[in-house]
Amino acid sequence: MNANQAGEPAPDGHGGLPRDATVADHIVARLAQWGVRRYFGYPGDGINGMTSALQRAGDRAEFVQVRHEETAGFAASAHVKYGGGPLGCALATSGPGAIHLLNGLYDAKLDHQPVVALVGHTALTAEGGGYYQEVDLLALYKDVASAFLAQLDDPSQVRHLVDRACRTALARRTVTALVLPSDVQDEPAVPDPPHAHGYYHTSAVPSSATTVPPEADVRRATEVLRGGERVAMLVGQGALGAEAEVRQVADRLGAGVATALLGFTAVDHREPWVTGAIGLLGTRPSWQLMRDCDRLLIVGSNMPYSEFYPPQGQARGVQIDVDGSRLGLRYPTEVNLTGDAGPTLRALLRELGPGTAPTAWRQRIADATAGWHRAQREIAGQAADPVNPQALFAALDDQLPGDVMLAVDCGTCTAWYARHLRLRPGMLASLSGTLLSMGGAMPYGIAAKLAHPDRPLVALLGDGAMQMNGVNELITVAKHWRSWPDPRFVVLVLNNRDLAFVSWEQRSGEGTPMFPASQDLPDVAYHRWAEVLGLHGILVDSPDQVPDAWRRALAADRPTVINAMVDPAELMLPPHFTAAQARKTAAAVLRDPDRAGIVRRGLPAAVSTWRPRLR
């Protein structure tokens, strides 16, 4: 590493920058030392200095223009999730642009993704005067960028503010933000601040992190786990990259493994001991796994639904997380190990040593899981009006490319994804896992495709999310696809003309029927919109079209939109339906405008879902 890469001045005494470099040029160059080369955003006069600097940077930096700043925040988060780089970066103009950016940034904050936000601001000379687009950004961003937020008021601050923003985002895996007054961006750069009082000389070298907890704590965890006869593991996104270690520990303990949605690709879902997703959209075997276990090992997960953990006192627990502040928050664990999943699990394996795990527990898990999958396939094959949405996911599972990337939106599509797709090593998948925001699938897909343009991408979303920002971001896809070595970008739209997830929440949670004024959506010919943009469009309005639609889309020479006309009455039953939920749902259905359809779909679906439990 040379002096300039280490954050020290270059021999010419100007930090390696041209003599006429601006503050914005310095920001771009300094961010590059932290690995930032792709900026997601939308231009505006509040960041003209920054976009001019990116233009001057040429192929050393890439500005990805999205259709809305919100999706820039989502894409910056997804850039890290799909391995596009160590840091995500979003760039937005002052006032309205900075406000639009917030939702995507909260997705990064809640899912613990390191993202640096750069937001333009009113010129220093005009601040406090009620200038156009003047918003108190330091107050506005105080929560989302609580780990580090600063305004750059002097050129000599660039070095230490950029370094601290990047270092903090990486160390705490969170969002940081820099507010950039428009006039300061164009001032002459000061890459090497004076060696004087009140100035800083910082380093662009990332900080090391604690990776393995103390040996004594690992031994205590081993003692807790070794005595279990019915061990359960819950893995989340913190286990990504430690797939081999998760499998080895599970085998050594004879454990069943449930996954949080963000940790879906940490295990091979074809394994009989993998019960799949946990929570309201999860599987019954995962719920039963937690109800019946006597030991619980949580790896990199902070899944918040407490009712899906074992009852207090039933199971002795151990938790692993790189952030010690998140340990012991969801279940009263006995041993909490602060460290990265991979090396910590390897330390556990050394302490566990060789041995034979009990087999009866795993067989019980395998039987329940196999029965559940049979039931889900049966439900997916049932008739609907016109198309059963679950049939689309079952058919996709049969045709998933081995190197596929999946971008999943929030809604009923999340449940069908969690219950039907058996992901395996080599695949990538993610979603807005904690914020649970609609509108994430398309920007996630764009970020994933830009990170890996040689891999196929499938985005799964409902018509609500497609209308929210998907139709607009399809323009971004149309703008970029010709530069991708693999042009496949498949968008599945579940077109049921209903905000179905919320409709079911109203029925089961509030006991109220579907409210058409709130829930009805216009019927849009999404496949035709794709064709207008020069992409492929496929209409699916009959169940016999489903398998061929996937074959055509996954073999296409350009991005494809599948407009699937699916049944709005399709039931989304949780793995554990309480008596209170059943009473409220029944009362709501009696008054529901689609009660005939719900009864038509509800009886066969309920029988198929509950049959494995009755055997």
Side-chain angles (χ1 to χ4, degrees), residues 261 280-282 305 389-390 393 407-419 431-433 435-441 460-466 468 494 496 498-505 519 521 570-573:
L261 286 177
L280 291 173
L281 305 183
Y305 291 136
Q390 301 195 58
F393 288 77
V408 188
D409 222 290
C410 290
T412 53
C413 62
T414 320
W416 314 145
Y417 158 77
R419 295 178 181 186
L431 72 163
S432 177
L435 186 62
L436 303 177
S437 176
M438 286 176 62
L460 306 169
L461 57 159
D463 47 359
M466 190 64 178
M468 183 173 283
L494 298 181
N496 56 17
D498 177 24
L499 289 171
F501 191 96
V502 179
S503 294
W504 281 110
E505 286 180 322
Q519 302 305 109
L521 291 172
E570 188 69 10
L571 268 71
M572 190 181 64
L573 295 172

Side-chain angles (χ1 to χ4, degrees), residues 18-247:
R19 289 290 173 182
D20 60 350
T22 67
V23 164
D25 292 319
H26 190 192
I27 293 171
V28 172
R30 198 69 180 181
L31 284 169
Q33 293 184 250
W34 287 92
V36 176
R37 284 172 174 78
R38 182 170 291 144
Y39 298 71
F40 296 92
Y42 202 81
D45 63 348
I47 53 169
N48 276 347
M50 285 298 301
T51 51
S52 295
L54 291 172
Q55 184 180 32
R56 288 189 291 270
D59 59 6
R60 299 191 306 277
E62 178 187 10
F63 182 75
V64 180
Q65 182 205 81
V66 293
R67 312 275 68 77
H68 191 286
E69 289 92 352
E70 177 190 40
T71 60
F74 277 126
S77 175
H79 174 78
V80 183
K81 288 185 174 185
Y82 289 92
L87 272 169
C89 188
L91 179 60
T93 191
S94 57
I99 294 168
H100 284 167
L101 186 61
L102 282 171
N103 192 58
L105 293 181
Y106 270 105
D107 174 62
K109 178 184 175 73
L110 270 62
D111 279 355
H112 308 289
Q113 300 303 311
V115 169
V116 176
L118 306 174
V119 291
H121 193 35
T122 304
L124 283 178
T125 55
E127 280 186 22
Y131 200 73
Y132 285 117
Q133 299 186 335
E134 184 177 1
V135 172
D136 188 346
L137 295 180
L138 292 175
L140 184 68
Y141 274 65
K142 185 177 181 180
D143 180 53
V144 74
S146 58
F148 183 70
L149 167 65
Q151 179 169 310
L152 195 158
D153 291 334
D154 187 274
S156 64
Q157 295 177 290
V158 168
R159 183 167 158 179
H160 75 263
L161 290 185
V162 170
D163 288 350
R164 191 173 176 193
C166 293
R167 186 181 312 282
T168 303
L170 288 168
R172 300 191 185 180
R173 297 197 63 80
T174 192
V175 173
T176 59
L178 296 179
V179 177
L180 310 176
S182 59
D183 51 350
V184 178
Q185 296 171 39
D186 289 320
E187 291 187 16
V190 182
D192 305 317
H195 186 66
H197 184 74
Y199 294 92
Y200 299 104
H201 297 83
T202 51
S203 164
V205 178
S207 306
S208 63
T210 301
T211 57
V212 184
E215 290 184 11
D217 292 339
V218 175
R219 283 195 294 271
R220 288 176 53 225
T222 304
E223 291 168 3
V224 170
L225 295 170
R226 187 183 282 125
E229 295 183 355
R230 302 184 307 280
V231 183
M233 292 175 64
L234 170 58
V235 301
Q237 68 171 335
L240 298 177
E243 292 83 359
E245 290 86 353
V246 167
R247 181 189 181 95

Side-chain angles (χ1 to χ4, degrees), residues 112 172 302 319 321-330 338:
H112 308 289
R172 300 191 185 180
N302 198 32
Q319 187 171 0
D321 202 291
V322 72
D323 184 350
S325 69
R326 295 201 292 267
L327 292 167
L329 290 180
R330 307 305 186 194
T338 303

Side-chain angles (χ1 to χ4, degrees), residues 540-601:
V540 173
D541 56 7
S542 173
D544 58 0
Q545 299 169 337
V546 170
D548 186 60
W550 282 119
R551 281 191 290 271
R552 291 166 57 197
L554 291 169
D557 63 354
R558 65 192 62 201
T560 303
V561 172
I562 300 175
N563 180 20
M565 310 300 291
V566 298
D567 195 337
E570 188 69 10
L571 268 71
M572 190 181 64
L573 295 172
H576 175 57
F577 207 42
T578 67
Q581 288 173 321
R583 285 195 299 271
K584 288 181 177 179
T585 302
V589 167
L590 290 175
R591 297 174 286 141
D592 202 277
D594 195 20
R595 57 185 174 273
I598 294 171
V599 172
R600 168 181 50 78
R601 281 299 298 128

Side-chain angles (χ1 to χ4, degrees), residues 298-378:
I298 306 170
V299 184
S301 174
N302 198 32
M303 193 276 296
Y305 291 136
S306 59
E307 68 270 30
F308 288 92
Y309 289 90
Q312 183 172 309
Q314 172 189 297
R316 301 180 68 185
V318 173
Q319 187 171 0
I320 299 169
D321 202 291
V322 72
D323 184 350
S325 69
R326 295 201 292 267
L327 292 167
L329 290 180
R330 307 305 186 194
Y331 189 77
T333 44
E334 291 184 39
V335 184
N336 293 316
L337 303 176
T338 303
D340 285 344
T344 303
L345 289 172
R346 289 194 292 272
L348 270 178
L349 283 166
R350 288 193 293 271
E351 289 293 331
L352 284 168
T356 303
T359 59
W361 170 240
R362 270 204 163 176
Q363 188 58 54
R364 180 173 162 189
I365 294 166
D367 291 344
T369 303
W372 167 264
H373 286 311
R374 286 194 300 270
Q376 295 308 298
R377 280 280 171 159
E378 182 178 322

